[in-house]
Amino acid sequence: GVKDGRWTVLQLVEALGFCLENTDPRTRGRGIQLLSQVLLQCYSLLQEKEVLHLVLFYENRLQDHHLVIPSVLQGLRALSMCEVLSPGLAVSVLKAIFQEVHVQSLLQLDRHTVYSIITNFMGTREEELKGLGADFTFGFIQVMDGEKDPRNLLVAFQIVRDLIAKNYALGPFVEELFEVTSCYFPVDFTPPPNDPHGIQREDLILSLRAVLASTPQFAEFLLPLLIEKLDSELQSAKLDSLQTLTACCAIYGQKELQEFLPSLWSSLRREVFQTASEKIETECLAALHALSACLSRSVLSSDAEDLLDSFLGSILQDCRHHLCEPDMKLVWPSAKLLQAAAGASLRTYHCVIRSVLPLLLEQYTKHPQSSQRRTILEMLLGFLELQQKWGHVEEDESTLLSLQAPVCSVVFSALTDASVQLQLVGIKALTVLGSLQGFLSSSDMELVVDHLIRLTLYEEDSQSSEAAMAAVGSLAPIYPKVFSGHMVPRLAEELQSEREESSHNRRSLQQHCLQALAAVSTHTSIMKETVPVLLQNLQKVQKGSEARNTQDMVSVCQSLHRVALQCQQDAEGCWYFHQTVVPCLLAMAVQAAMQESTHLLLGKALLEEEVLTAMVPVISAATTHLSPELAAQSVSHVVPLFLDGEVSFLPQNNFPCSFQPFGDGECLEAQRRLVALLMAFICSLPRNVAIPQQEWLLRELLALSCSCNCPFTATTAAKCFAGLVNKHPAGQQLDEILQLAVNRMEPSLVEGPRRMQALTLLLWVTKALVLRYHPLSSCLTDKLLGLLGDTELGPAVADGFSLLMAESPDVLHKGCHANVRIMFRQRFFTDNVPKLVQGFHGAGPDLKANYLKGLSHVLNHLPKPVLVTELPTLLSLLLEALSCSDRVVQLSTLSCLQPLLLEAPQIMSLHVDTLVTKFLNLTSSPTMAVRIAALRCAHALTCLPTPVLLPYKARVIRALAKPLDDKKRLVRKEAVAARGEWFLLGSPGR
């Protein structure tokens, strides 16, 4: 009635008069409860005068019997949300609560109501409450004092934060406010099991920390508390104290810290020197960093003591001498402390390295052993990396610049050391020095390039060689002229040279040259010089006739691919690479195919499946990041090349015959193989690029995929067809081409010599349509499900489910702009797994494995959270799959079960007997991969609840003794790990 306007609240009060004035407190309580419940729903409809009368009534009721108070507080909570509350009423209500209610004697919910009233008034009546001065703070302290419930504490901590952040008067009650909150530090709270409120210990810790670190006024009380907790034995207390100290440093100044700096440094130093906990060490270093930063930014008056200098002096005094100890026990803890302080500001950095860097350089010279030199250089590297934070090396104040010669000497000597580990640190240091703008002169950089060439080409250890390659990639964009002028010509010369060496050494050197050319191509100007070198080498290899040409060509293609990936984000570099490399590769391939057609032997290696497969990612990576305009320009040349034999845009296009990859005749078989390169290009184009003569091209690809005798050509034609279909706009044209494809596939699937080719086409077209949620995809998937019962094609169809679900490397993925809808795997699972299960139950004994294999492939590629929810219905089938003799089914099922043991232990526990038996049986499988997967699953079993596993402990330990003697090292490694976990099962502390 009140909501509809038929009654006013005051009329309701009159109607409740008998209850509200009753002598029985329970009856009064029920009357006020009803009134409060109405107010909670109708407070926004109240008039100012009504609110005034209600506030006075409720304030008076606060003096009533304790049974009435909860309902009174609910009414006041409703009134605290009224916008028409008269000035002065908020203060009046709070005074009445502070005076009349002993809040901590109330139940949790009623205490929460009081906090809500205060929060509401602070949000809407801030100026009025501030008029109370420190009395409001004192009143709240009385309300909160003794609070224990975490739900209420989160609200209370927020009120304290607001008191401080909004500058309420704390008056003489700063210490009392600190005491009433700091009594909870450090937080000791473990949420009860199945807690419906979801409050975690971390929530309370962060909320309390925000209070303690909210004002410098708490510093004189908080810092002694933090030091006391730091000196305790409790790890959680130490961590909490360190994190709180770090938070406080963001708002403290020198004045707050001055008295406590010696004690804080003493505690931090002790923890870093003595702790066995990596977490505590990390937090100590963070706190020291924060303290140094705080002291760095404090503005000093002219007569004030500079605390930063004295603080850093203490750090240097206590740590510096450890860097010189011959046993080097405290070297790393000391270095970490010094680096934490040095990283706080440019001023702290200069102060620390001025003292430490000359010492480290001296120690490097004193210690002849490689292991000690490595430790010293790693420390030096840590300080050099800090300089990167401050950018340019300033000449007037840089200690680093004054030590340029000895620093370079130390780093260069490490690069020539026999120890690989020292070399690796030297390469890292070299990279850092090169990144410091203004540190290395041009002559230094030439020396750097010489060292990097030696390490990339001639260093026998692969770690050093790879690290040097990475350094080349990092430094080349910073010094493009140096690398372009010194490194690229040297690599090109090495690649072209015909020195007499053993075949193996020459091959290895060429591999390193190719990799280095790719590594250095991280700047467009350099890439424009390396790409012609790589293409020239490919042409040179193509003209040879040795058996090793195939591998050499693959190596060049791998380098070109790396270059393509590196230049994708640079529009100029990407277009240069595309228009230089793609026509060249096509020209070489067309030349080779025509020589094959005319029975010439030159260039035959280029047509090998392995080489064409290596070319595909080069062309794809060169195409995916083109702008639509440039892509359209390129597609206008490439499609006519394949459909019309238009070769005019190719370099060196004087070919012995016409190019007809879609023509008839056995002599054109070599030309048809080049459809792989068409696929790489056309399936990587952005979706908004129009493809000329697309319908004709689709028909030619369809015919080739169904009729070609070469499996490689037929498969690439099918993939190319599928890639185009996936991006084709919906409509009649797409429906017609799909119907044509179905009409070509269906007869071939039933019988004939090309059943496998028809299946390959069906799988790729199905994948193309599944990805885009095309309506025909369900019809094609049903065809595949039906073929699982085919004795000839069934196993291949089962493997095809992996193709449908997995990410394809060359076509139909997001990187090549394919039309991939979100959650297509979940949709496929929902639509088809019930059919797979039904088919399994209806299949004969010799065909059941096909359904199991298909199912395991689907489940293996499904997001694990989705799989966990479906686990109860599928687990029995997965366990049956482990008994299948097909090793692919076994392997796929094991890899599916392993993460489920970690993510759904309760469900898996119900089947522990079967799981233990199956896993142990498979540890003796003749297939190494199955043995490894079974041992990993046996290891993962230890994540199940311990009481469930203990009855099996002895049996599993006995069974796992056998694979400890396996002839394969990887199997033995997994057996050791699994058996160790089972030995520890049930031990104290686990």
Side-chain angles (χ1 to χ4, degrees):
V2 173
K3 275 186 173 178
D4 297 342
R6 288 182 285 117
W7 297 89
T8 66
V9 171
L10 295 182
Q11 286 174 311
L12 174 61
V13 173
E14 288 174 14
L16 285 169
F18 170 74
C19 292
L20 299 179
E21 295 172 356
N22 198 289
T23 54
D24 179 18
R26 287 182 176 78
T27 306
R28 288 202 306 281
R30 283 200 294 275
I32 293 174
Q33 184 183 18
L34 176 58
L35 177 60
S36 296
Q37 287 174 341
V38 172
L39 289 177
L40 282 167
Q41 294 197 43
C42 305
Y43 64 85
S44 60
L45 306 174
L46 297 176
Q47 303 298 316
E48 187 175 348
K49 190 176 179 182
E50 291 175 316
V51 173
L52 175 62
H53 288 301
L54 286 165
V55 166
L56 294 174
F57 166 74
Y58 272 105
E59 279 183 15
N60 183 263
R61 290 300 90 200
L62 284 173
Q63 301 172 18
D64 205 334
H65 193 279
H66 68 88
L67 290 173
V68 177
I69 298 301
S71 300
V72 175
L73 291 171
Q74 287 295 342
L76 286 171
R77 182 165 74 89
L79 295 171
S80 73
M81 294 186 280
C82 289
E83 292 181 10
V84 293
L85 199 70
S86 300
L89 287 183
V91 170
S92 176
V93 168
L94 289 179
K95 276 185 172 179
I97 291 174
F98 294 160
Q99 190 172 333
E100 303 295 343
V101 183
H102 183 246
V103 176
Q104 288 307 314
S105 65
L106 301 174
L107 295 173
Q108 180 271 327
L109 182 61
D110 304 324
R111 301 199 305 276
H112 195 278
T113 304
V114 175
Y115 295 125
S116 299
I117 294 168
I118 295 172
T119 301
N120 292 340
F121 283 147
M122 287 179 76
T124 58
R125 298 287 187 272
E126 184 179 324
E127 291 308 315
E128 286 181 43
L129 300 192
K130 284 181 177 177
L132 274 171
D135 289 347
F136 174 58
T137 303
F138 180 66
F140 172 72
I141 290 170
Q142 287 181 304
V143 166
M144 182 185 172
D145 195 7
E147 181 59 68
K148 289 185 175 64
D149 190 279
R151 292 163 287 180
N152 291 350
L153 283 172
L154 286 176
V155 185
F157 290 155
Q158 182 61 53
I159 292 171
V160 180
R161 288 212 297 279
D162 290 341
L163 278 173
I164 294 165
K166 295 178 180 177
N167 294 315
Y168 282 78
L170 304 185
F173 304 116
V174 173
E175 186 171 1
E176 284 78 0
L177 187 61
F178 173 76
E179 292 296 339
V180 85
T181 49
S182 65
C183 62
Y184 302 101
F185 183 86
V187 171
D188 181 19
F189 168 67
T190 305
N194 306 316
D195 178 20
H197 309 292
I199 295 174
Q200 299 297 316
R201 179 171 174 270
E202 192 66 18
D203 300 328
L204 289 165
I205 287 173
L206 294 175
S207 190
L208 176 57
R209 184 177 301 150
V211 170
L212 297 177
S214 61
T215 172
Q217 294 180 75
F218 284 166
E220 61 179 303
F221 315 114
L222 177 58
L223 290 173
L225 176 64
L226 295 181
I227 292 167
E228 178 195 327
K229 299 300 179 186
L230 258 177
D231 295 345
S232 72
E233 295 300 317
L234 200 62
Q235 286 235 355
S236 59
K238 287 178 190 279
L239 280 172
D240 207 349
S241 300
L242 290 163
Q243 289 164 350
T244 305
L245 174 60
T246 302
C248 289
C249 287
I251 62 159
Y252 285 4
Q254 291 206 8
K255 185 180 74 168
E256 287 78 23
L257 293 171
Q258 183 168 9
E259 182 186 342
F260 305 100
L261 279 175
S263 300
L264 286 168
W265 164 240
S266 175
S267 297
L268 293 173
R269 181 190 63 214
R270 184 194 64 244
E271 290 302 323
V272 173
F273 280 173
Q274 295 177 8
T275 187
S277 164
E278 198 174 316
K279 276 187 182 176
I280 287 180
E281 182 188 87
T282 302
E283 293 302 336
C284 279
L285 297 174
L288 180 60
H289 179 96
L291 280 169
S292 304
C294 176
L295 295 173
S296 297
R297 64 173 174 266
S298 295
V299 179
L300 302 173
S301 58
S302 57
D303 58 342
E305 180 194 354
D306 186 354
L307 286 182
L308 180 62
D309 270 355
S310 58
F311 184 60
L312 291 176
S314 300
I315 296 172
L316 286 164
Q317 183 182 338
D318 291 345
C319 295
R320 195 174 179 274
H321 65 276
H322 289 304
L323 303 181
C324 310
E325 290 173 357
D327 57 359
M328 299 185 114
K329 274 185 184 173
L330 292 174
V331 158
W332 269 119
S334 300
K336 286 176 182 176
L337 287 165
L338 288 165
Q339 286 167 7
S345 69
L346 189 55
R347 190 173 155 214
T348 60
Y349 178 73
H350 285 308
C351 183
V352 172
I353 68 161
R354 197 181 304 126
S355 172
V356 171
L357 229 57
L359 181 68
L360 288 176
L361 293 169
E362 180 190 328
Q363 291 299 307
Y364 185 90
T365 312
K366 274 187 181 178
H367 290 86
Q369 287 185 330
S370 295
S371 59
Q372 292 174 322
R373 285 190 160 193
R374 176 191 165 196
T375 301
I376 295 164
L377 188 56
E378 280 177 336
M379 287 188 285
L380 185 67
L381 174 61
F383 287 105
L384 293 174
E385 284 172 336
L386 290 175
Q387 174 70 52
Q388 289 179 303
K389 288 175 66 175
W390 318 116
H392 189 73
V393 182
E394 297 291 343
E395 288 188 30
D396 56 341
E397 58 178 2
S398 176
T399 307
L400 193 57
L401 212 55
S402 67
L403 294 170
Q404 181 192 22
V407 168
C408 287
S409 173
V410 161
V411 172
F412 291 154
S413 75
L415 297 178
T416 54
D417 197 271
S419 163
V420 172
Q421 297 307 313
L422 182 54
Q423 277 185 18
L424 292 174
V425 183
I427 292 167
K428 281 185 192 171
L430 191 67
T431 309
V432 174
L433 289 180
S435 69
L436 299 178
Q437 192 182 353
F439 186 79
L440 295 175
S441 65
S442 56
S443 59
D444 287 332
M445 273 312 302
E446 288 177 16
L447 190 55
V448 166
V449 170
D450 287 340
H451 277 294
L452 290 174
I453 291 172
R454 177 182 56 78
L455 288 165
T456 51
L457 298 188
Y458 308 115
E459 179 55 51
E460 291 181 8
D461 186 87
S462 61
Q463 281 181 287
S464 293
S465 180
E466 286 166 16
M469 299 266 188
V472 166
S474 300
L475 295 175
I478 306 172
Y479 306 95
K481 288 184 179 176
V482 179
F483 280 89
S484 185
H486 288 77
M487 188 167 196
V488 176
R490 283 275 301 277
L491 294 173
E493 182 187 337
E494 196 62 65
L495 207 55
Q496 298 299 327
S497 72
E498 301 288 346
R499 284 187 308 197
E500 290 193 12
E501 290 180 77
S502 71
S503 174
H504 174 75
N505 289 348
R506 183 75 201 130
R507 192 90 175 274
S508 174
L509 186 59
Q510 286 196 325
Q511 289 279 339
H512 285 158
C513 274
L514 293 171
Q515 290 165 5
L517 282 166
V520 79
S521 304
T522 47
H523 189 274
T524 303
S525 65
I526 303 175
M527 185 265 290
K528 287 181 178 180
E529 295 184 27
T530 56
V531 164
V533 173
L534 288 167
L535 291 175
Q536 190 180 349
N537 184 254
L538 189 63
Q539 289 164 338
K540 175 188 168 188
V541 175
Q542 182 193 11
K543 290 171 185 172
S545 55
E546 298 174 35
R548 66 180 177 85
N549 282 7
T550 299
Q551 187 52 50
D552 288 347
M553 285 184 170
V554 169
S555 298
V556 179
C557 290
Q558 287 169 345
S559 288
L560 284 168
H561 181 224
R562 182 173 170 182
V563 176
L565 293 175
Q566 287 168 180
C567 70
Q568 280 180 337
Q569 303 307 321
D570 174 59
E572 182 198 346
C574 187
W575 178 235
Y576 169 82
F577 186 91
H578 181 89
Q579 64 177 353
T580 306
V581 173
V582 173
C584 182
L585 292 182
L586 288 172
M588 289 171 66
V590 169
Q591 180 80 37
M594 288 182 176
Q595 288 170 344
E596 175 80 2
S597 304
T598 52
H599 305 293
L600 294 169
L601 291 175
L602 282 174
K604 192 171 183 179
L606 197 63
L607 301 174
E608 294 285 343
E609 183 177 326
E610 198 180 344
V611 177
L612 290 173
T613 303
M615 282 187 177
V616 166
V618 180
I619 294 174
S620 179
T623 307
T624 52
H625 285 64
L626 289 181
S627 66
E629 298 75 24
L630 295 176
Q633 187 179 325
S634 193
V635 78
S636 66
H637 295 305
V638 175
V639 172
L641 167 68
F642 281 86
L643 288 178
D644 307 319
E646 179 53 64
V647 296
S648 58
F649 83 102
L650 298 178
Q652 301 169 352
N653 53 23
N654 185 19
F655 302 120
C657 61
S658 59
F659 182 57
Q660 300 172 296
F662 294 115
D664 295 326
E666 282 188 29
C667 64
L668 298 174
E669 188 61 57
Q671 295 187 18
R672 293 190 196 108
R673 294 171 76 82
L674 304 196
V675 169
L677 306 185
L678 172 66
M679 172 198 78
F681 171 78
I682 213 159
C683 291
S684 302
L685 292 168
R687 259 189 275 174
N688 56 353
V689 174
I691 296 169
Q693 307 175 85
Q694 185 169 3
E695 307 311 312
W696 178 19
L697 180 60
L698 280 165
R699 289 169 188 273
E700 293 286 12
L701 288 166
L702 179 61
L704 187 60
S705 66
C706 293
S707 61
C708 182
N709 294 322
C710 170
F712 173 74
T713 305
T715 301
T716 50
K719 286 160 78 171
C720 191
F721 179 83
L724 289 172
V725 161
N726 172 263
K727 294 180 188 177
H728 200 295
Q732 185 182 351
Q733 283 186 326
L734 177 61
D735 295 340
E736 286 175 2
I737 199 72
L738 287 174
Q739 191 55 53
L740 183 63
V742 171
N743 293 344
R744 289 291 297 263
M745 285 187 286
E746 280 185 334
S748 301
L749 285 168
V750 177
E751 57 183 0
R754 294 203 168 91
R755 295 187 76 198
M756 193 57 78
Q757 283 176 226
L759 173 60
T760 301
L761 178 62
L762 174 60
L763 284 167
W764 281 104
V765 173
T766 304
K767 183 179 177 74
L769 300 183
V770 164
L771 292 178
R772 63 180 281 177
Y773 290 179
H774 191 279
L776 185 61
S777 63
S778 56
C779 172
L780 297 184
T781 309
D782 287 342
K783 285 186 189 298
L784 289 169
L785 290 167
L787 287 168
L788 283 170
D790 187 290
T791 50
E792 182 189 347
L793 293 180
V797 175
D799 285 330
F801 277 89
S802 176
L803 185 151
L804 295 179
M805 298 293 283
E807 185 89 353
S808 173
D810 43 11
V811 293
L812 297 177
H813 60 85
K814 286 184 179 178
C816 63
H817 313 290
N819 185 354
V820 181
R821 301 286 292 276
I822 60 167
M823 298 199 295
F824 76 90
R825 291 183 178 89
Q826 288 90 317
R827 179 167 173 168
F828 188 88
F829 171 87
T830 306
D831 292 347
N832 297 296
V833 164
K835 297 174 186 175
L836 276 168
V837 174
Q838 185 182 354
F840 168 80
H841 291 305
D846 52 336
L847 296 173
K848 282 185 181 290
N850 295 341
Y851 290 91
L852 283 176
K853 190 189 289 187
L855 177 67
S856 63
H857 283 314
V858 173
L859 298 182
N860 231 350
H861 292 94
L862 199 65
K864 292 303 175 271
V866 180
L867 186 51
V868 168
T869 59
E870 302 291 338
L871 190 57
T873 55
L874 294 171
L875 189 53
S876 57
L877 207 58
L878 285 170
L879 294 174
E880 195 165 340
L882 290 176
S883 303
C884 177
S885 58
D886 189 309
R887 66 180 179 81
V888 177
V889 176
Q890 291 173 349
L891 196 56
S892 190
T893 309
L894 287 168
S895 59
C896 183
L897 285 171
Q898 186 191 347
L900 295 176
L901 290 163
L902 309 176
E903 292 171 36
Q906 299 305 324
I907 300 170
M908 303 298 273
S909 297
L910 303 174
H911 301 268
V912 65
D913 190 69
T914 311
L915 288 167
V916 168
T917 304
K918 303 271 189 191
F919 293 159
L920 293 181
N921 286 343
L922 289 172
T923 60
S924 304
S925 165
T927 306
M928 182 181 83
V930 173
R931 297 200 300 278
I932 289 173
L935 287 164
R936 284 177 181 163
C937 286
H939 189 164
L941 273 175
T942 57
C943 296
L944 302 188
T946 302
V948 175
L949 296 176
L950 283 175
Y952 302 93
K953 181 176 177 179
R955 174 186 163 195
V956 173
I957 289 171
R958 275 198 311 274
L960 292 180
K962 183 183 175 186
L964 290 176
D965 294 326
D966 198 280
K967 58 186 177 183
K968 296 292 184 181
R969 182 182 61 82
L970 293 175
V971 177
R972 297 196 299 273
K973 180 183 170 187
E974 295 296 340
V976 168
R979 198 161 184 256
E981 281 300 313
W982 276 90
F983 262 118
L984 293 171
L985 197 70
S987 303
R990 290 186 66 79

